[in-house]
Amino acid sequence: MAAISASQVKELRERTGLGMMECKKALTEAGGDIELAIENLRKSSGLKAAKKAGRTAAEGTVVTRVAADGSYGVVVEINSETDFVARDDNFKAFADKVADAFFAAKSEDVAAVMAGELESAREQLVQKIGENIGVRRCAVVEAPAGALVGEYVHGGRIGVLTVLKGGNSEVAKDVAMHVAAINPAVALPEDMPQEQLDKEKAIILAQPDMAGKPEQIAEKMVEGRLKKYLAENSLTEQPFVKDPNQSVAEFVKAAGGEVLGFTRFEVGEGIEKEEVDFAKEVMEQAGRR
């Protein structure tokens, strides 16, 4: 049986708002897998949702570039080890140079774009700053005929490119701002993967209030809850962050546009990083003397 650490229990409590013993039990049953524990809790206790994992691993910045005519754009993530370095002017200048290179190359191939001069610049910056620096990823977003790409960067940590058919760059920017703030799963309800819908349906059916319901009633309840789930997680159906009285789709339509898609990068998402207990580390070092 996997040992359950206090930090795992703490994270699950922060993400679910449930009690310590309930979280510890759920983690034990899930073999220490936090995501599985959350899924099981949603089935057994009717937990509606859980917060996303707290702190993500790497530091750094996200930079975007969009063509003047809105025909295409790029979003690039450049990482550093600490937030302090991410705010350094030398690091920022390097990140801008990297974004310009990806934009000019119109390529997502990190190895190819970084080869040569940019890699030398990266190595020199590493030596100067004394911290590992790397270019993690890039996405190139192209607009089809009659569409345009918009951009928004929040605090250098979240970068979004949106694609609208019709509308204008300001509307596209406002939608990108919404995506940065709310982080929808998909652009349109029909974009939601069937696998995710099947998983959500299984969770709904396993919730306590579904027990003993006649099949027809249960199906209607599932249908209603899936519809609500899609509305909450699809960009076009969400209440627009700047005016909750209308949906994002309604906001864009009023400007003569239609949402086609989006790409969102957040610094460090998906990267695990060991949390360091500096107080404990200092005490251990002191004890060796």
Side-chain angles (χ1 to χ4, degrees), residues 21 25 67 122 153 157-158 174 197 201 237 284 289:
M21 294 309 296
K25 180 183 176 184
R122 186 194 68 81
V153 176
R157 296 189 60 85
I158 301 174
D174 280 344
L197 289 175
K201 182 176 180 179
E237 309 306 301
E284 287 177 349
R289 293 176 181 174

Side-chain angles (χ1 to χ4, degrees), residues 92-108:
K92 290 180 179 179
F94 171 72
D96 282 334
K97 186 181 291 187
V98 168
D100 288 341
F102 277 97
F103 182 72
K106 209 172 180 179
S107 170
E108 299 179 349

Side-chain angles (χ1 to χ4, degrees), residues 200-207 209-210 221-222 225-226:
E200 191 63 25
K201 182 176 180 179
I203 289 172
I204 293 169
L205 287 170
Q207 290 173 353
D209 65 342
M210 298 297 292
M221 289 175 67
V222 169
R225 291 183 188 183
L226 281 179

Side-chain angles (χ1 to χ4, degrees), residues 29-282:
E29 292 174 350
D33 186 325
I34 290 178
E35 298 302 329
L36 179 58
I38 289 172
E39 185 176 329
N40 290 339
L41 283 168
R42 290 189 64 197
K43 289 178 178 178
S44 63
S45 66
L47 179 71
K48 293 187 182 301
K51 296 176 183 177
K52 294 188 177 179
R55 190 176 173 199
T56 46
E59 298 298 334
T61 190
V62 174
V63 187
T64 61
R65 293 285 187 273
V66 171
D69 62 359
S71 59
Y72 81 100
V74 300
V75 54
V76 190
E77 179 182 355
I78 304 98
N79 296 127
S80 59
E81 290 182 44
T82 64
D83 182 55
F84 177 77
V85 165
R87 298 194 301 269
D88 179 82
D89 288 340
N90 294 299
F91 177 83
K92 290 180 179 179
F94 171 72
D96 282 334
K97 186 181 291 187
V98 168
D100 288 341
F102 277 97
F103 182 72
K106 209 172 180 179
S107 170
E108 299 179 349
D109 190 332
V110 174
V113 175
M114 289 298 296
E117 182 183 333
L118 275 180
E119 178 58 21
S120 297
R122 186 194 68 81
E123 292 173 353
Q124 290 171 14
L125 189 58
V126 168
Q127 291 177 357
K128 181 176 182 178
I129 292 179
E131 210 175 276
N132 189 29
I133 291 165
V135 178
R136 182 185 178 198
R137 53 180 173 160
C138 170
V140 178
V141 175
E142 297 190 62
L148 58 86
V149 176
E151 65 181 325
Y152 175 74
V153 176
H154 183 77
R157 296 189 60 85
I158 301 174
V160 179
L161 297 179
T162 51
V163 183
L164 303 187
K165 183 178 180 181
N168 56 57
S169 60
E170 282 304 310
V171 174
K173 179 181 178 180
D174 280 344
V175 174
M177 188 184 300
H178 174 99
V179 173
I182 307 301
N183 193 14
V186 294
L188 310 171
E190 54 265 35
D191 294 338
M192 187 68 72
Q194 186 60 46
E195 180 183 355
Q196 183 60 34
L197 289 175
D198 292 341
K199 182 178 179 181
E200 191 63 25
K201 182 176 180 179
I203 289 172
I204 293 169
L205 287 170
Q207 290 173 353
D209 65 342
M210 298 297 292
K213 292 287 190 302
E215 186 177 347
Q216 287 185 332
I217 293 177
E219 281 299 322
K220 285 185 178 179
M221 289 175 67
V222 169
E223 184 180 338
R225 291 183 188 183
L226 281 179
K227 186 176 180 180
K228 183 181 178 184
Y229 173 80
L230 285 171
E232 291 173 345
N233 291 280
S234 304
L235 169 61
T236 55
E237 309 306 301
Q238 292 176 336
F240 181 42
V241 71
K242 293 176 75 171
D243 181 7
N245 292 318
Q246 60 180 335
S247 68
V248 172
E250 289 169 339
F251 164 71
V252 176
K253 185 177 180 180
E258 177 188 350
V259 175
L260 297 183
F262 70 86
T263 298
R264 184 184 190 274
F265 277 11
E266 184 167 351
V267 169
E269 59 189 346
I271 305 176
E272 292 187 3
K273 175 180 167 185
E274 182 181 357
E275 295 293 337
V276 179
D277 186 336
F278 289 107
K280 182 179 179 182
E281 191 176 87
V282 170

Side-chain angles (χ1 to χ4, degrees), residues 4 9 12 19-32 37 40-41 44:
I4 307 303
V9 176
L12 189 57
M20 181 177 70
M21 294 309 296
E22 191 171 1
C23 288
K24 186 173 183 180
K25 180 183 176 184
L27 281 166
T28 301
E29 292 174 350
N40 290 339
L41 283 168
S44 63

